[in-house]
Amino acid sequence: MSVAKVRLFVDHPLGPEQTVPLERDQAHYLFGVMRLKPGDHVLLFDGQSGEWLAEVAQAGKRAGELHCLHQTKPLHLPPDLWLLFAPIKKARTDFIVEKAAEMGAARILPVQTDFTNSERVRADRLQKHAVEAAEQCGGTFVPKVEEMERLDRLISGWPQDRNLLFCDEARVGDRLMIPDATSAPWAILIGPEGGFSDAERKRLRNMPQTHVLSLGPRILRADTAAVAALTLWQSALGDWR
Amino acid sequence: MSVAKVRLFVDHPLGPEQTVPLERDQAHYLFGVMRLKPGDHVLLFDGQSGEWLAEVAQAGKRAGELHCLHQTKPLHLPPDLWLLFAPIKKARTDFIVEKAAEMGAARILPVQTDFTNSERVRADRLQKHAVEAAEQCGGTFVPKVEEMERLDRLISGWPQDRNLLFCDEARVGDRLMIPDATSAPWAILIGPEGGFSDAERKRLRNMPQTHVLSLGPRILRADTAAVAALTLWQSALGDWR
């Protein structure tokens, strides 16, 4: 018996006696990089069936097969919390996605605001960061990273019942306020560097779903603000309680 | 009159009618990169006198002089909070220092734990990240980044009156507890990837100054944990209240 050194997300159902074929990249990682051999153990999760201990059944350079042994963790779904953020420089955008997955956001939505510099994001590339973060943090769920959408369009179709925590950097120095616990769905909105436009700010503040959150007396970078807002939300309303 | 496009930390006293000579790097940045000209405005802070509006008096390629006009912000000192962290990969260590400055730590102490991989950190290089973060976040104070010290030595001489918030990743799933507000000095300790050793954990838990903090059901990376712990502390006991 070996201790599992690797924790892997697989896009394949897991269950008792289940056989899991590996993709080329995964086989390369497990057998080329991590040097696993038949009989070695791996932890797997598929985002739907919790975490499973599996053993290597076949190991090849470009393919391989794992065999599920038993469940090691039940599925833990994050709270129904979306993170909306305006993409910034590439490294910091990657960072926000990684942090959102670690912190337990259920869905990640890049939004284009009036002052967003970035015109495009590659959702598939960002999705990989979310997978890696989930593998690393011991979670059993991977948040979906959506394609970028314009903030005004997203607001126009905003769900009636979803609260929006609007992190408005113009409210520097205001008192922090998180509303009382509720089982309603939520979203957190983090602005771009340069902040929101006056039009956006006015529109957001006029939405009945909006709660404004101040993040202290200093102006935080977008990536810092994302972690800070997720922390406050998770500890007040989420699965850190 | 021009709007100040630049915010700069200077290691020189500021005050009414004060003249501030520029270092070579600063002159290059202001006049070479940002293309400021005599008469243009700059915001300055020295970590002790708040923020001042200054104008360019002399602009050269390798030197220059600024002239203080009037104070634009009073000095805002952060709470008496230290951040202790075990250095990790370079980019993430830089990140922790940047975040600690943004989040309002007063002093940043890299510590070497039993499982710390990094043997050396360059405190002078990290100090620059703290300065940049202070310039960017609108703060009027720059936390000092200390040279790395061994955690066991630091604990041996730990100040009697300084509370220690010990972020123990082994307490996954435990209930979050921050003790009641107090004016006592505090420190937050973030562990390395790989966590603390059993000996360290036992010793830390036995200190009367220690309060254990859990950061939710997922295992956070050290840089995420630093921002999350600083957020909880600042909102419960610090200057976000």
Side-chain angles (χ1 to χ4, degrees), chain B residues 110-151:
Chain B
V111 294
Q112 187 162 12
T113 66
D114 290 345
F115 298 159
T116 304
N117 288 320
S118 176
E119 308 240 323
R120 259 188 94 232
V121 293
R122 285 194 42 197
D124 58 337
R125 200 179 57 74
L126 293 179
Q127 187 66 59
K128 285 185 185 161
H129 285 281
V131 167
E132 278 174 26
E135 289 173 344
Q136 187 271 333
C137 76
T140 52
F141 174 85
V142 180
K144 173 93 194 295
V145 182
E146 306 290 347
E147 295 289 342
M148 182 143 79
E149 196 168 352
R150 285 177 46 159
L151 179 63

mmCIF file of all heavy atoms in Angstrom, chain B residues 110-151:
data_model
loop_
_atom_site.group_PDB
_atom_site.id
_atom_site.type_symbol
_atom_site.label_atom_id
_atom_site.label_comp_id
_atom_site.label_asym_id
_atom_site.label_seq_id
_atom_site.Cartn_x
_atom_site.Cartn_y
_atom_site.Cartn_z
ATOM 1 N N PRO B 110 9.368 37.335 7.844
ATOM 2 C CA PRO B 110 9.533 35.990 7.263
ATOM 3 C C PRO B 110 10.132 35.071 8.332
ATOM 4 O O PRO B 110 11.073 35.458 9.020
ATOM 5 C CB PRO B 110 10.535 36.205 6.120
ATOM 6 C CG PRO B 110 10.618 37.690 5.927
ATOM 7 C CD PRO B 110 10.279 38.315 7.240
ATOM 8 N N VAL B 111 9.542 33.885 8.475
ATOM 9 C CA VAL B 111 10.060 32.949 9.486
ATOM 10 C C VAL B 111 10.418 31.617 8.842
ATOM 11 O O VAL B 111 9.771 31.168 7.910
ATOM 12 C CB VAL B 111 9.038 32.699 10.622
ATOM 13 C CG1 VAL B 111 8.804 33.959 11.430
ATOM 14 C CG2 VAL B 111 7.720 32.151 10.096
ATOM 15 N N GLN B 112 11.471 31.021 9.373
ATOM 16 C CA GLN B 112 11.890 29.713 8.890
ATOM 17 C C GLN B 112 11.322 28.647 9.820
ATOM 18 O O GLN B 112 11.635 28.607 11.002
ATOM 19 C CB GLN B 112 13.416 29.631 8.865
ATOM 20 C CG GLN B 112 13.885 28.340 8.216
ATOM 21 C CD GLN B 112 15.326 28.420 7.782
ATOM 22 O OE1 GLN B 112 16.054 29.351 8.146
ATOM 23 N NE2 GLN B 112 15.765 27.449 7.006
ATOM 24 N N THR B 113 10.458 27.802 9.268
ATOM 25 C CA THR B 113 9.845 26.746 10.065
ATOM 26 C C THR B 113 10.524 25.424 9.734
ATOM 27 O O THR B 113 11.364 25.354 8.835
ATOM 28 C CB THR B 113 8.348 26.638 9.761
ATOM 29 O OG1 THR B 113 8.196 26.203 8.404
ATOM 30 C CG2 THR B 113 7.646 27.973 9.935
ATOM 31 N N ASP B 114 10.130 24.372 10.444
ATOM 32 C CA ASP B 114 10.732 23.058 10.187
ATOM 33 C C ASP B 114 10.532 22.619 8.732
ATOM 34 O O ASP B 114 11.376 21.936 8.163
ATOM 35 C CB ASP B 114 10.126 22.008 11.126
ATOM 36 C CG ASP B 114 10.576 22.228 12.576
ATOM 37 O OD1 ASP B 114 11.541 22.985 12.783
ATOM 38 O OD2 ASP B 114 9.958 21.645 13.482
ATOM 39 N N PHE B 115 9.413 22.988 8.126
ATOM 40 C CA PHE B 115 9.123 22.548 6.755
ATOM 41 C C PHE B 115 9.277 23.664 5.719
ATOM 42 O O PHE B 115 8.748 23.564 4.617
ATOM 43 C CB PHE B 115 7.701 21.979 6.651
ATOM 44 C CG PHE B 115 7.460 20.751 7.496
ATOM 45 C CD1 PHE B 115 6.169 20.372 7.854
ATOM 46 C CD2 PHE B 115 8.513 19.951 7.928
ATOM 47 C CE1 PHE B 115 5.928 19.247 8.618
ATOM 48 C CE2 PHE B 115 8.284 18.824 8.708
ATOM 49 C CZ PHE B 115 6.997 18.467 9.054
ATOM 50 N N THR B 116 9.960 24.749 6.071
ATOM 51 C CA THR B 116 10.174 25.819 5.094
ATOM 52 C C THR B 116 11.208 25.372 4.074
ATOM 53 O O THR B 116 12.294 24.930 4.447
ATOM 54 C CB THR B 116 10.681 27.106 5.783
ATOM 55 O OG1 THR B 116 9.768 27.476 6.796
ATOM 56 C CG2 THR B 116 10.812 28.239 4.779
ATOM 57 N N ASN B 117 10.861 25.485 2.801
ATOM 58 C CA ASN B 117 11.816 25.108 1.756
ATOM 59 C C ASN B 117 12.843 26.204 1.498
ATOM 60 O O ASN B 117 14.006 25.958 1.254
ATOM 61 C CB ASN B 117 11.075 24.804 0.449
ATOM 62 C CG ASN B 117 10.332 23.494 0.556
ATOM 63 O OD1 ASN B 117 10.836 22.533 1.124
ATOM 64 N ND2 ASN B 117 9.124 23.458 0.020
ATOM 65 N N SER B 118 12.368 27.436 1.535
ATOM 66 C CA SER B 118 13.225 28.566 1.188
ATOM 67 C C SER B 118 14.229 28.833 2.311
ATOM 68 O O SER B 118 13.857 28.971 3.464
ATOM 69 C CB SER B 118 12.340 29.791 0.974
ATOM 70 O OG SER B 118 13.121 30.914 0.731
ATOM 71 N N GLU B 119 15.511 28.878 1.979
ATOM 72 C CA GLU B 119 16.522 29.064 3.014
ATOM 73 C C GLU B 119 16.868 30.539 3.203
ATOM 74 O O GLU B 119 17.401 30.940 4.218
ATOM 75 C CB GLU B 119 17.801 28.315 2.625
ATOM 76 C CG GLU B 119 17.555 26.877 2.265
ATOM 77 C CD GLU B 119 18.303 25.928 3.154
ATOM 78 O OE1 GLU B 119 19.440 26.257 3.532
ATOM 79 O OE2 GLU B 119 17.749 24.857 3.494
ATOM 80 N N ARG B 120 16.605 31.325 2.182
ATOM 81 C CA ARG B 120 16.998 32.733 2.240
ATOM 82 C C ARG B 120 15.902 33.567 1.622
ATOM 83 O O ARG B 120 15.274 33.152 0.654
ATOM 84 C CB ARG B 120 18.271 32.959 1.414
ATOM 85 C CG ARG B 120 19.531 33.045 2.222
ATOM 86 C CD ARG B 120 20.676 33.466 1.326
ATOM 87 N NE ARG B 120 20.882 34.901 1.364
ATOM 88 C CZ ARG B 120 20.950 35.684 0.290
ATOM 89 N NH1 ARG B 120 20.775 35.201 -0.909
ATOM 90 N NH2 ARG B 120 21.185 36.973 0.417
ATOM 91 N N VAL B 121 15.685 34.734 2.172
ATOM 92 C CA VAL B 121 14.888 35.710 1.454
ATOM 93 C C VAL B 121 15.681 37.007 1.481
ATOM 94 O O VAL B 121 16.471 37.247 2.384
ATOM 95 C CB VAL B 121 13.502 35.959 2.088
ATOM 96 C CG1 VAL B 121 12.625 34.732 1.974
ATOM 97 C CG2 VAL B 121 13.631 36.397 3.527
ATOM 98 N N ARG B 122 15.491 37.803 0.448
ATOM 99 C CA ARG B 122 16.173 39.099 0.442
ATOM 100 C C ARG B 122 15.190 40.144 0.960
ATOM 101 O O ARG B 122 14.295 40.594 0.251
ATOM 102 C CB ARG B 122 16.648 39.427 -0.970
ATOM 103 C CG ARG B 122 17.876 38.595 -1.343
ATOM 104 C CD ARG B 122 18.551 39.151 -2.567
ATOM 105 N NE ARG B 122 18.626 40.608 -2.529
ATOM 106 C CZ ARG B 122 18.864 41.356 -3.597
ATOM 107 N NH1 ARG B 122 19.035 40.791 -4.766
ATOM 108 N NH2 ARG B 122 18.919 42.664 -3.493
ATOM 109 N N ALA B 123 15.407 40.544 2.202
ATOM 110 C CA ALA B 123 14.491 41.485 2.841
ATOM 111 C C ALA B 123 14.456 42.821 2.082
ATOM 112 O O ALA B 123 13.402 43.447 1.985
ATOM 113 C CB ALA B 123 14.888 41.704 4.299
ATOM 114 N N ASP B 124 15.604 43.222 1.510
ATOM 115 C CA ASP B 124 15.616 44.520 0.804
ATOM 116 C C ASP B 124 14.742 44.474 -0.451
ATOM 117 O O ASP B 124 14.062 45.442 -0.785
ATOM 118 C CB ASP B 124 17.051 44.939 0.445
ATOM 119 C CG ASP B 124 17.761 43.914 -0.426
ATOM 120 O OD1 ASP B 124 17.365 42.715 -0.423
ATOM 121 O OD2 ASP B 124 18.710 44.288 -1.139
ATOM 122 N N ARG B 125 14.748 43.318 -1.120
ATOM 123 C CA ARG B 125 13.914 43.165 -2.311
ATOM 124 C C ARG B 125 12.437 43.122 -1.914
ATOM 125 O O ARG B 125 11.582 43.746 -2.543
ATOM 126 C CB ARG B 125 14.312 41.884 -3.052
ATOM 127 C CG ARG B 125 13.903 41.823 -4.506
ATOM 128 C CD ARG B 125 14.351 40.526 -5.158
ATOM 129 N NE ARG B 125 13.849 39.361 -4.464
ATOM 130 C CZ ARG B 125 12.578 38.942 -4.513
ATOM 131 N NH1 ARG B 125 11.700 39.573 -5.254
ATOM 132 N NH2 ARG B 125 12.199 37.888 -3.832
ATOM 133 N N LEU B 126 12.135 42.403 -0.843
ATOM 134 C CA LEU B 126 10.749 42.332 -0.375
ATOM 135 C C LEU B 126 10.265 43.707 0.098
ATOM 136 O O LEU B 126 9.105 44.070 -0.096
ATOM 137 C CB LEU B 126 10.618 41.310 0.754
ATOM 138 C CG LEU B 126 10.835 39.852 0.354
ATOM 139 C CD1 LEU B 126 10.711 38.945 1.573
ATOM 140 C CD2 LEU B 126 9.828 39.428 -0.724
ATOM 141 N N GLN B 127 11.187 44.472 0.708
ATOM 142 C CA GLN B 127 10.812 45.815 1.177
ATOM 143 C C GLN B 127 10.307 46.668 0.005
ATOM 144 O O GLN B 127 9.373 47.452 0.164
ATOM 145 C CB GLN B 127 12.013 46.480 1.855
ATOM 146 C CG GLN B 127 11.690 47.801 2.533
ATOM 147 C CD GLN B 127 10.749 47.631 3.717
ATOM 148 O OE1 GLN B 127 11.053 46.919 4.654
ATOM 149 N NE2 GLN B 127 9.586 48.262 3.666
ATOM 150 N N LYS B 128 10.928 46.509 -1.153
ATOM 151 C CA LYS B 128 10.479 47.274 -2.333
ATOM 152 C C LYS B 128 9.047 46.942 -2.718
ATOM 153 O O LYS B 128 8.285 47.807 -3.152
ATOM 154 C CB LYS B 128 11.410 47.028 -3.526
ATOM 155 C CG LYS B 128 12.725 47.759 -3.376
ATOM 156 C CD LYS B 128 13.607 47.626 -4.607
ATOM 157 C CE LYS B 128 14.959 48.278 -4.310
ATOM 158 N NZ LYS B 128 15.997 47.828 -5.239
ATOM 159 N N HIS B 129 8.682 45.662 -2.570
ATOM 160 C CA HIS B 129 7.294 45.288 -2.857
ATOM 161 C C HIS B 129 6.336 45.945 -1.867
ATOM 162 O O HIS B 129 5.235 46.345 -2.236
ATOM 163 C CB HIS B 129 7.124 43.763 -2.797
ATOM 164 C CG HIS B 129 7.690 43.068 -3.994
ATOM 165 N ND1 HIS B 129 7.022 43.015 -5.197
ATOM 166 C CD2 HIS B 129 8.856 42.437 -4.180
ATOM 167 C CE1 HIS B 129 7.767 42.356 -6.059
ATOM 168 N NE2 HIS B 129 8.886 41.996 -5.477
ATOM 169 N N ALA B 130 6.771 46.039 -0.616
ATOM 170 C CA ALA B 130 5.923 46.690 0.398
ATOM 171 C C ALA B 130 5.746 48.175 0.064
ATOM 172 O O ALA B 130 4.648 48.728 0.195
ATOM 173 C CB ALA B 130 6.535 46.507 1.786
ATOM 174 N N VAL B 131 6.822 48.811 -0.389
ATOM 175 C CA VAL B 131 6.751 50.234 -0.772
ATOM 176 C C VAL B 131 5.797 50.425 -1.953
ATOM 177 O O VAL B 131 4.899 51.275 -1.919
ATOM 178 C CB VAL B 131 8.155 50.776 -1.128
ATOM 179 C CG1 VAL B 131 8.053 52.137 -1.830
ATOM 180 C CG2 VAL B 131 9.029 50.887 0.118
ATOM 181 N N GLU B 132 5.947 49.605 -2.970
ATOM 182 C CA GLU B 132 5.072 49.712 -4.148
ATOM 183 C C GLU B 132 3.611 49.507 -3.786
ATOM 184 O O GLU B 132 2.727 50.192 -4.293
ATOM 185 C CB GLU B 132 5.460 48.671 -5.205
ATOM 186 C CG GLU B 132 6.636 49.109 -6.056
ATOM 187 C CD GLU B 132 7.091 47.992 -6.991
ATOM 188 O OE1 GLU B 132 6.261 47.115 -7.349
ATOM 189 O OE2 GLU B 132 8.280 47.987 -7.336
ATOM 190 N N ALA B 133 3.371 48.538 -2.896
ATOM 191 C CA ALA B 133 1.989 48.276 -2.495
ATOM 192 C C ALA B 133 1.421 49.471 -1.730
ATOM 193 O O ALA B 133 0.258 49.845 -1.931
ATOM 194 C CB ALA B 133 1.922 47.012 -1.636
ATOM 195 N N ALA B 134 2.233 50.078 -0.875
ATOM 196 C CA ALA B 134 1.766 51.252 -0.124
ATOM 197 C C ALA B 134 1.488 52.412 -1.082
ATOM 198 O O ALA B 134 0.499 53.137 -0.936
ATOM 199 C CB ALA B 134 2.803 51.652 0.926
ATOM 200 N N GLU B 135 2.358 52.593 -2.072
ATOM 201 C CA GLU B 135 2.139 53.656 -3.072
ATOM 202 C C GLU B 135 0.821 53.441 -3.804
ATOM 203 O O GLU B 135 0.068 54.364 -4.077
ATOM 204 C CB GLU B 135 3.297 53.683 -4.081
ATOM 205 C CG GLU B 135 4.601 54.209 -3.498
ATOM 206 C CD GLU B 135 5.794 54.088 -4.443
ATOM 207 O OE1 GLU B 135 5.704 53.328 -5.443
ATOM 208 O OE2 GLU B 135 6.815 54.727 -4.175
ATOM 209 N N GLN B 136 0.542 52.178 -4.107
ATOM 210 C CA GLN B 136 -0.609 51.853 -4.935
ATOM 211 C C GLN B 136 -1.927 51.912 -4.159
ATOM 212 O O GLN B 136 -2.953 52.297 -4.707
ATOM 213 C CB GLN B 136 -0.378 50.459 -5.546
ATOM 214 C CG GLN B 136 -1.384 50.015 -6.578
ATOM 215 C CD GLN B 136 -2.555 49.301 -5.917
ATOM 216 O OE1 GLN B 136 -2.425 48.722 -4.846
ATOM 217 N NE2 GLN B 136 -3.718 49.376 -6.556
ATOM 218 N N CYS B 137 -1.888 51.536 -2.888
ATOM 219 C CA CYS B 137 -3.157 51.390 -2.146
ATOM 220 C C CYS B 137 -3.594 52.666 -1.441
ATOM 221 O O CYS B 137 -4.642 52.676 -0.790
ATOM 222 C CB CYS B 137 -3.069 50.235 -1.151
ATOM 223 S SG CYS B 137 -2.107 50.603 0.336
ATOM 224 N N GLY B 138 -2.799 53.728 -1.559
ATOM 225 C CA GLY B 138 -3.204 54.993 -0.943
ATOM 226 C C GLY B 138 -2.874 55.081 0.530
ATOM 227 O O GLY B 138 -3.283 56.031 1.199
ATOM 228 N N GLY B 139 -2.131 54.110 1.061
ATOM 229 C CA GLY B 139 -1.724 54.164 2.457
ATOM 230 C C GLY B 139 -0.658 55.230 2.676
ATOM 231 O O GLY B 139 -0.026 55.709 1.734
ATOM 232 N N THR B 140 -0.477 55.614 3.944
ATOM 233 C CA THR B 140 0.534 56.632 4.262
ATOM 234 C C THR B 140 1.661 56.032 5.096
ATOM 235 O O THR B 140 2.473 56.757 5.665
ATOM 236 C CB THR B 140 -0.103 57.797 5.047
ATOM 237 O OG1 THR B 140 -0.824 57.253 6.159
ATOM 238 C CG2 THR B 140 -1.056 58.577 4.166
ATOM 239 N N PHE B 141 1.694 54.712 5.154
ATOM 240 C CA PHE B 141 2.650 54.001 5.990
ATOM 241 C C PHE B 141 3.205 52.823 5.197
ATOM 242 O O PHE B 141 2.485 52.218 4.409
ATOM 243 C CB PHE B 141 1.925 53.492 7.253
ATOM 244 C CG PHE B 141 2.762 52.625 8.142
ATOM 245 C CD1 PHE B 141 3.593 53.185 9.089
ATOM 246 C CD2 PHE B 141 2.715 51.237 8.030
ATOM 247 C CE1 PHE B 141 4.373 52.386 9.920
ATOM 248 C CE2 PHE B 141 3.500 50.427 8.849
ATOM 249 C CZ PHE B 141 4.329 51.010 9.796
ATOM 250 N N VAL B 142 4.487 52.492 5.418
ATOM 251 C CA VAL B 142 5.075 51.300 4.783
ATOM 252 C C VAL B 142 5.515 50.342 5.877
ATOM 253 O O VAL B 142 6.358 50.693 6.705
ATOM 254 C CB VAL B 142 6.295 51.670 3.913
ATOM 255 C CG1 VAL B 142 6.872 50.400 3.282
ATOM 256 C CG2 VAL B 142 5.915 52.674 2.849
ATOM 257 N N PRO B 143 4.973 49.102 5.896
ATOM 258 C CA PRO B 143 5.438 48.158 6.909
ATOM 259 C C PRO B 143 6.884 47.759 6.664
ATOM 260 O O PRO B 143 7.326 47.655 5.524
ATOM 261 C CB PRO B 143 4.507 46.951 6.729
ATOM 262 C CG PRO B 143 3.975 47.069 5.344
ATOM 263 C CD PRO B 143 3.948 48.536 5.015
ATOM 264 N N LYS B 144 7.612 47.537 7.739
ATOM 265 C CA LYS B 144 8.997 47.100 7.643
ATOM 266 C C LYS B 144 9.030 45.593 7.378
ATOM 267 O O LYS B 144 8.351 44.835 8.063
ATOM 268 C CB LYS B 144 9.699 47.425 8.971
ATOM 269 C CG LYS B 144 11.109 46.890 9.120
ATOM 270 C CD LYS B 144 12.156 47.914 8.694
ATOM 271 C CE LYS B 144 13.549 47.306 8.516
ATOM 272 N NZ LYS B 144 14.115 46.793 9.780
ATOM 273 N N VAL B 145 9.831 45.183 6.394
ATOM 274 C CA VAL B 145 10.051 43.755 6.161
ATOM 275 C C VAL B 145 11.356 43.364 6.843
ATOM 276 O O VAL B 145 12.414 43.896 6.512
ATOM 277 C CB VAL B 145 10.128 43.420 4.659
ATOM 278 C CG1 VAL B 145 10.308 41.919 4.465
ATOM 279 C CG2 VAL B 145 8.898 43.922 3.928
ATOM 280 N N GLU B 146 11.279 42.451 7.787
ATOM 281 C CA GLU B 146 12.470 42.044 8.545
ATOM 282 C C GLU B 146 13.234 40.942 7.815
ATOM 283 O O GLU B 146 12.704 40.282 6.928
ATOM 284 C CB GLU B 146 12.052 41.529 9.932
ATOM 285 C CG GLU B 146 11.209 42.492 10.730
ATOM 286 C CD GLU B 146 11.981 43.714 11.201
ATOM 287 O OE1 GLU B 146 13.232 43.713 11.125
ATOM 288 O OE2 GLU B 146 11.337 44.690 11.644
ATOM 289 N N GLU B 147 14.477 40.720 8.235
ATOM 290 C CA GLU B 147 15.229 39.561 7.759
ATOM 291 C C GLU B 147 14.573 38.291 8.306
ATOM 292 O O GLU B 147 13.966 38.310 9.361
ATOM 293 C CB GLU B 147 16.679 39.630 8.266
ATOM 294 C CG GLU B 147 17.498 40.791 7.722
ATOM 295 C CD GLU B 147 17.839 40.631 6.240
ATOM 296 O OE1 GLU B 147 17.757 39.498 5.713
ATOM 297 O OE2 GLU B 147 18.169 41.648 5.602
ATOM 298 N N MET B 148 14.762 37.187 7.577
ATOM 299 C CA MET B 148 14.158 35.930 8.023
ATOM 300 C C MET B 148 14.769 35.480 9.353
ATOM 301 O O MET B 148 15.974 35.594 9.575
ATOM 302 C CB MET B 148 14.361 34.835 6.984
ATOM 303 C CG MET B 148 13.708 33.525 7.399
ATOM 304 S SD MET B 148 12.977 32.636 6.025
ATOM 305 C CE MET B 148 14.424 31.879 5.307
ATOM 306 N N GLU B 149 13.905 34.982 10.232
ATOM 307 C CA GLU B 149 14.380 34.444 11.498
ATOM 308 C C GLU B 149 13.760 33.065 11.715
ATOM 309 O O GLU B 149 12.701 32.771 11.152
ATOM 310 C CB GLU B 149 13.995 35.368 12.655
ATOM 311 C CG GLU B 149 14.774 35.062 13.923
ATOM 312 C CD GLU B 149 14.631 36.133 14.994
ATOM 313 O OE1 GLU B 149 14.054 37.197 14.704
ATOM 314 O OE2 GLU B 149 15.089 35.892 16.114
ATOM 315 N N ARG B 150 14.404 32.232 12.516
ATOM 316 C CA ARG B 150 13.840 30.916 12.805
ATOM 317 C C ARG B 150 12.640 31.046 13.722
ATOM 318 O O ARG B 150 12.691 31.783 14.709
ATOM 319 C CB ARG B 150 14.899 30.016 13.440
ATOM 320 C CG ARG B 150 15.909 29.514 12.406
ATOM 321 C CD ARG B 150 16.966 28.696 13.061
ATOM 322 N NE ARG B 150 16.381 27.732 13.998
ATOM 323 C CZ ARG B 150 17.007 26.641 14.400
ATOM 324 N NH1 ARG B 150 18.205 26.365 13.943
ATOM 325 N NH2 ARG B 150 16.424 25.835 15.263
ATOM 326 N N LEU B 151 11.599 30.308 13.405
ATOM 327 C CA LEU B 151 10.362 30.403 14.184
ATOM 328 C C LEU B 151 10.611 30.052 15.658
ATOM 329 O O LEU B 151 10.107 30.734 16.557
ATOM 330 C CB LEU B 151 9.283 29.476 13.600
ATOM 331 C CG LEU B 151 7.942 29.480 14.342
ATOM 332 C CD1 LEU B 151 7.282 30.847 14.302
ATOM 333 C CD2 LEU B 151 6.994 28.424 13.759
#
